Amino acid sequence: MTAAKRAPGKPATEMFDDIPVLQRKWRAAVKPGERLPRYEDVMLGSLGRLADHIALLKGDGTLELSRSGRYVQQWLGDERWDIPVAELSPDCATALSEVTASALANGRPHHARAHCVRDGMVKTYDLLALPTASRWGATLVGTYVNEHGAQYNLLDAIFSATEDAVVSLTTLRDAAGKPFDLQIVHHNKGAELLLNVASSGLLWRRLGQGGTLLAAPEIMEFLLKAVSGGRGEQFEIENAGRHLRMSATCFADVVSLTISDVTAMKRRDASFRLLFDNNPMPMWVFDAEQKQFLSVNDAAVQHYGYSRAAFLRMKLHEIWPEDEWDSHAEALERVGETYHSSRNWRHLRADGSEIEVLTFGRRVTFDGRDGYLVAVVDITERRKAEARIAHMAHHDGLTDLPNREYFQDRLKQALDQAGGKRVGVLCIDLDLFKNVNDSFGHPVGDRLLKQVAERLATAIRGANLAARLGGDEFAVILAADVSPNEASACASLLIEMLSAPYDIDGLETVIGASIGIALSPGDGTTSEELMRNADMALYRAKSDGGGVHHFFEREMDRQAQKRRDMELDLRRAFANGEFELHYQPLVSIVSDRISGFESLLRWRHHEKGMISPAEFIPVAEDIGLITQLGEWVLREACSEAVKWPADIKVAVNLSPAQFRSRNLVQVVISALAQSGLSPTRLELEITESIFLAETDANLATLHQLRELGVGISMDDFGTGYSSLSYLRSFPFDKIKIDRSFVKDLAQRPDCGAIVRAISGLGRSLNITTTAEGVETEDQLDWLRAEGCNEVQGFLFSAARPAAEIAKLLADFGERASRAA
């Protein structure tokens, strides 16, 4: 494996992918005046599933692997921590070392591609190294690792049995993306014999280390030139009395090097008969003027299938396909004393089959006649292998559909040739596919994807194209001046076809499909615009429940832009102090006094005024800002509550992201210590989503908080699937009855029954019950009658700024006095 190259910039459609998110997170964590962000701000934030893809490396002195996520351990094939990177498998060690060195050299995130060859399969990986500073003075590099793109089967294509040496190498690039060395990642038995090096001495060797013929300066120059050119190159060298011919073909940063020992052919040039009669390579002599065969060797007779007598009655053009007669004849007119193929030629065998060959010749005198001696190299299998590799570079390894790169190339081509006519793009996402994968495993999911691909390939023909973009995402190009009605009809047909049952080894499976449609030129004139807009339309179709198709609308683009603007505004708002806390009173039904306040986050935009939390909280969660916001809310609420009477509590909502950060307990302790607030006056409100992942770890955190004396409250109780089981898992201090049950309390008997049941449950378990959303006296009377302990809602007060808390407490004190 090697850090192959700096990955090109991604199109706008992928701006929400993992790598841009991590890059933005790194940039956001860099504080003014500091070269690197703190480790805690980058790697202990809201990583979620990405944590499985992170390898933590110590970059000072010897590079060490400090920690690794589950996915990285599978990639490394090693679960150990705190070990030198050099002890890892050589391919992974090279990739991690190169990308880390580049990130440290540049002082910023470095994105590279790495190629791994195992069991004949080449996999491409994205690596993103994020350099950070730690409080201990060490430089820590968090490196994200994930598979990218298609797989390539080299065993079938390149390393088939041959006497030639076949060596596969991957390119090493420096921080600027320039190739400087190559590493041997696979080779055949012929390579060991031809290079006179034991297998253990070749595999994983970097050519720059020396010790083999391949380290010769002229060969290194030839190989690096092949990497830069990307096309097949040939080179000959004489070494230790041997003549070696090298052929290099580059696919991305993988170089296939074939080395042939042509010493025997060179030597036999001096002795025509010995060379000709006994050579295993097909050879013949033809008359320079008449182009008639004058002699053929046994190898030519066997290889072409014509008898010797038949050969000697034929002329050259009879073994040429008719469509190449002119080009063959023109090439012969230009030959001199010696020649070798300037291109690959096609020849006909006796059975009518075609082979692809290279020809090498020299002028000779044969039986007194002027002629040419020709040697033929059959490269049919080699060309098939190269074609197969080229096919795999542009096709998905699982489904054999075109991949994302090929799809984008064809879309650009279709737009270039459209001449103002419409080109359609359909983005397809499978509905319920994740359920199949989770329920029956990835092998069943893979077979299902193959059947989906077969249906798409059957339906999409001609100039149109169906491709797999990755996962369960597919796309279609409609290139024949498609109308909106035709695009709609095609989408409906595809949804119907993909929704029909699938038979997978006797298991009947049903999924669905959602489709987003964009048409040029109205929805975009570039491939990037069309893909982005079709993807927005797909998002709308998924939001509508799936199983439908949607055309792109400009409003979608406006919403996307609004979302991007909000991301930028959120980051500025946090830096500019635009957030503030408002407090809604919690009222004890028995005493009719305020028992506490729930702190609610508000954003006062400098131009747009107040922005609803329903709008900005989901965005803050997506961009990784919610943990910082949550810490600020906790500190601010504690600092304000310490000013209130000693019997008044403050409630703070916690997000799942704060649990994932794993430093929640320390944050709470810090906020209490800085403010001087008693832990018994702090309530932390959680939702059941915190129990849905890593339950054991989250329960441990809750117990630690409870031991501090902090109260724990279950918010929105009764709206989830497993609320009762959570009460068994953790002894909550309070459960909050969701406002949806309170709203229709007087009109719907079922709501009253639910409230009664929750209140009774609270009494039985000695848990306080708080009803949210109380707006009328009737609702309050119902709740009092059902035994609810506490209420909050507009009937008492909306959420108020901190400056109004004293007045609220005073007003309620007078109200309680009058009631008494």
Side-chain angles (χ1 to χ4, degrees):
M1 174 185 283
T2 178
K5 62 181 179 180
R6 197 176 179 89
K10 288 194 174 183
T13 52
E14 298 183 313
M15 285 306 290
F16 299 111
D17 284 353
D18 297 345
I19 288 176
V21 167
L22 289 170
Q23 289 172 326
R24 291 199 297 271
K25 180 178 177 63
W26 186 93
R27 289 194 295 270
V30 178
K31 296 183 177 179
E34 294 184 357
R35 179 171 175 265
L36 295 176
R38 291 181 302 173
Y39 160 77
E40 295 87 346
D41 293 340
V42 177
M43 304 312 299
L44 294 183
S46 175
L47 290 178
R49 63 179 177 78
L50 300 186
D52 287 345
H53 294 258
I54 297 294
L56 184 62
L57 305 164
K58 291 182 181 178
D60 294 340
T62 301
L63 189 62
E64 292 185 358
L65 176 66
S66 178
R67 292 290 185 274
S68 57
R70 289 188 292 260
Y71 179 90
V72 175
Q73 291 171 5
Q74 293 174 1
W75 174 64
L76 295 173
D78 198 329
E79 296 181 356
R80 294 179 297 165
W81 289 352
D82 297 320
I83 61 171
V85 169
E87 291 186 18
L88 300 172
S89 58
D91 50 348
C92 298
T94 300
L96 288 174
S97 300
E98 295 296 331
V99 74
T100 301
S102 297
L104 293 174
N106 295 331
R108 60 178 182 268
H110 186 79
H111 179 202
R113 291 272 168 77
H115 305 281
C116 174
V117 179
R118 291 174 185 165
D119 298 326
M121 298 300 297
V122 176
K123 294 184 179 180
T124 304
Y125 290 85
D126 279 312
L127 278 80
L128 177 68
L130 302 165
T132 64
S134 76
R135 66 179 68 178
W136 306 282
T139 301
L140 301 178
V141 180
T143 301
Y144 166 86
V145 181
N146 203 2
E147 188 173 349
H148 172 93
Q151 301 182 13
Y152 307 92
N153 189 318
L154 294 181
L155 292 177
D156 292 341
I158 300 176
F159 300 105
S160 56
T162 174
E163 294 181 359
D164 292 341
V166 181
V167 181
S168 289
L169 311 103
T170 57
T171 308
L172 302 181
R173 294 180 180 267
D174 60 22
K178 182 179 178 182
F180 70 91
D181 201 355
L182 298 104
Q183 183 179 32
I184 298 175
V185 296
H186 216 288
H187 61 82
N188 67 349
K189 188 69 176 178
E192 302 170 31
L193 299 175
L194 198 54
L195 298 176
N196 195 26
V197 179
S199 175
S200 60
L202 276 180
L203 193 60
W204 307 121
R205 178 186 290 270
R206 290 170 60 159
L207 300 192
Q209 296 174 349
T212 71
L213 171 63
L214 298 181
E218 58 268 36
I219 296 178
M220 286 289 290
E221 181 182 356
F222 162 70
L223 291 172
L224 292 175
K225 179 182 176 183
V227 171
S228 302
R231 295 188 298 271
E233 301 284 347
Q234 286 195 342
F235 176 76
E236 286 194 10
I237 188 172
E238 183 176 0
N239 177 266
R242 295 182 304 168
H243 292 270
L244 302 178
R245 179 175 296 132
M246 302 185 181
S247 175
T249 305
C250 183
F251 303 96
D253 273 15
V254 178
V255 180
S256 173
L257 177 65
T258 303
I259 309 173
S260 303
D261 188 342
V262 295
T263 306
M265 188 174 72
K266 294 284 186 181
R267 290 175 179 170
R268 284 197 295 266
D269 277 345
S271 178
F272 170 72
R273 284 299 175 188
L274 180 61
L275 164 69
F276 189 80
D277 292 338
N278 300 318
N279 201 302
M281 184 179 295
M283 301 183 74
W284 56 65
V285 180
F286 70 88
D287 183 274
E289 185 174 347
Q290 300 297 325
K291 310 300 187 288
Q292 184 172 1
F293 288 101
L294 300 178
S295 183
V296 293
N297 69 354
D298 291 340
V301 170
Q302 294 172 6
H303 198 73
Y304 280 78
Y306 301 102
S307 67
R308 192 179 308 276
F311 250 128
L312 298 179
R313 290 193 299 269
M314 296 165 59
K315 293 189 175 183
L316 273 178
H317 74 269
E318 294 180 62
I319 65 168
W320 300 339
E322 192 170 346
D323 61 329
E324 284 192 354
W325 282 5
D326 292 340
S327 54
H328 271 285
E330 290 172 7
L332 284 178
E333 293 298 325
R334 295 193 297 270
V335 301
E337 289 298 310
T338 62
Y339 75 91
H340 63 82
S341 294
S342 59
R343 49 167 284 188
N344 302 336
W345 296 103
R346 290 153 53 214
H347 280 182
L348 293 174
R349 300 171 68 176
D351 60 4
S353 62
E354 287 189 1
I355 58 174
E356 198 163 353
V357 301
L358 295 173
T359 55
F360 304 86
R362 62 177 298 171
R363 191 180 289 271
V364 295
T365 299
F366 185 82
D367 288 347
R369 300 169 67 173
D370 186 21
Y372 281 93
L373 168 67
V374 178
V376 177
V377 178
D378 187 339
I379 61 169
T380 306
E381 293 305 315
R382 184 194 305 178
R383 293 299 294 166
K384 286 180 180 178
E386 291 171 352
R388 183 175 179 185
I389 292 174
H391 177 84
M392 288 189 293
H394 293 104
H395 288 75
D396 174 52
L398 176 66
T399 65
D400 204 40
L401 286 179
N403 59 16
R404 182 184 292 273
E405 288 76 12
Y406 186 55
F407 180 86
Q408 291 173 335
D409 289 344
R410 281 287 300 272
L411 181 54
K412 290 175 183 175
Q413 180 183 341
L415 290 170
D416 290 341
Q417 298 173 353
K421 296 180 180 179
R422 279 186 291 254
V423 173
V425 170
L426 278 60
C427 281
I428 306 169
D429 189 85
L430 302 181
D431 302 331
L432 304 177
F433 175 75
K434 186 177 184 300
N435 292 352
V436 175
N437 239 8
D438 293 345
S439 300
F440 303 108
H442 291 290
V444 172
D446 287 348
R447 289 197 285 276
L448 177 57
L449 289 174
K450 288 182 181 179
Q451 291 193 27
V452 168
E454 290 170 3
R455 295 186 186 186
L456 285 174
T458 300
I460 306 301
R461 296 181 175 276
N464 302 324
L465 180 77
R468 183 189 180 207
L469 305 185
D472 62 340
E473 299 176 48
F474 297 83
V476 169
I477 299 172
L478 301 178
D481 193 21
V482 62
S483 70
N485 286 342
E486 290 170 334
S488 178
C490 179
S492 297
L493 177 64
L494 290 178
I495 291 173
E496 180 182 357
M497 181 182 67
L498 296 177
S499 301
Y502 297 82
D503 185 345
I504 303 175
D505 298 335
L507 174 68
E508 183 176 288
T509 304
V510 178
I511 58 172
S514 302
I515 298 179
I517 306 172
L519 300 176
S520 72
D523 297 338
T525 56
T526 68
S527 60
E528 291 81 8
E529 286 179 311
L530 277 183
M531 287 291 291
R532 183 182 68 243
N533 292 339
D535 200 52
M536 287 186 196
L538 172 61
Y539 180 79
R540 175 66 58 83
K542 297 290 285 187
S543 299
D544 286 352
V548 296
H549 67 271
H550 262 295
F551 283 88
F552 170 74
E553 300 168 3
R554 285 294 159 191
E555 175 63 17
M556 298 176 187
D557 197 32
R558 191 188 71 79
Q559 291 293 337
Q561 183 60 48
K562 181 180 178 183
R563 161 70 181 241
R564 290 190 288 271
D565 291 343
M566 181 169 285
E567 286 187 21
L568 295 174
D569 285 348
L570 268 174
R571 297 188 189 282
R572 298 191 193 104
F574 194 70
N576 296 338
E578 295 179 8
F579 292 105
E580 57 188 63
L581 287 185
H582 287 195
Y583 300 88
Q584 187 173 33
L586 300 166
V587 179
S588 170
I589 291 181
V590 174
S591 64
D592 197 24
R593 298 176 65 90
I594 293 177
S595 56
F597 289 90
E598 180 178 0
S599 57
L600 300 170
L601 183 61
R602 296 290 184 262
W603 177 14
R604 193 181 301 275
H605 193 279
H606 65 285
E607 292 178 352
K608 302 172 185 175
M610 280 295 191
I611 297 179
S612 168
E615 292 184 48
F616 71 81
I617 290 295
V619 180
E621 289 176 342
D622 288 345
I623 65 175
L625 193 63
I626 196 66
T627 301
Q628 293 171 268
L629 271 176
E631 292 180 12
W632 178 85
V633 168
L634 192 59
R635 290 194 302 269
E636 187 74 10
C638 290
S639 297
E640 182 61 33
V642 79
K643 305 172 187 176
W644 306 339
D647 61 337
I648 304 296
K649 297 184 177 183
V650 64
V652 177
N653 291 283
L654 295 181
S655 73
Q658 288 173 275
F659 277 81
R660 288 195 295 269
S661 69
R662 294 296 171 234
N663 67 337
L664 177 60
V665 176
Q666 289 75 15
V667 170
V668 171
I669 293 173
S670 175
L672 291 170
Q674 290 178 9
S675 65
L677 184 71
S678 169
T680 58
R681 294 180 59 195
L682 176 63
E683 288 184 354
L684 299 177
E685 295 189 6
I686 66 172
T687 61
E688 69 176 48
S689 59
I690 288 173
F691 286 87
L692 296 180
E694 300 185 69
T695 304
D696 291 341
N698 290 342
L699 276 173
T701 299
L702 288 174
H703 279 290
Q704 291 179 56
L705 292 170
R706 186 79 179 283
E707 289 170 3
L708 294 175
V710 174
I712 307 296
S713 172
M714 168 68 85
D715 200 6
D716 300 333
F717 185 80
T719 60
Y721 294 104
S722 304
S723 298
L724 292 177
S725 67
Y726 302 148
L727 295 182
R728 294 180 58 196
S729 302
F730 183 81
F732 287 91
D733 298 285
K734 179 185 292 186
I735 50 179
K736 300 188 74 173
I737 303 171
D738 188 70
R739 66 184 64 248
S740 61
F741 302 125
V742 175
K743 179 181 177 183
D744 298 325
L745 194 57
Q747 290 78 32
R748 293 182 50 175
D750 56 342
C751 289
I754 291 172
V755 170
R756 185 178 306 117
I758 296 175
S759 298
L761 187 64
R763 285 193 301 274
S764 300
L765 298 176
N766 197 26
I767 298 175
T768 300
T769 52
T770 300
E772 301 177 292
V774 180
E775 299 181 359
T776 68
E777 291 288 349
D778 284 347
Q779 292 171 346
L780 179 60
D781 291 341
W782 271 87
L783 293 166
R784 182 182 290 113
E786 297 300 346
C788 191
N789 305 115
E790 196 175 59
V791 288
Q792 71 180 108
F794 288 164
L795 177 62
F796 306 98
S797 173
R800 299 295 186 192
E804 299 181 22
I805 296 297
K807 186 176 185 305
L808 272 173
L809 288 170
D811 290 346
F812 261 84
E814 293 176 6
R815 169 177 164 176
S817 297
R818 287 196 300 271

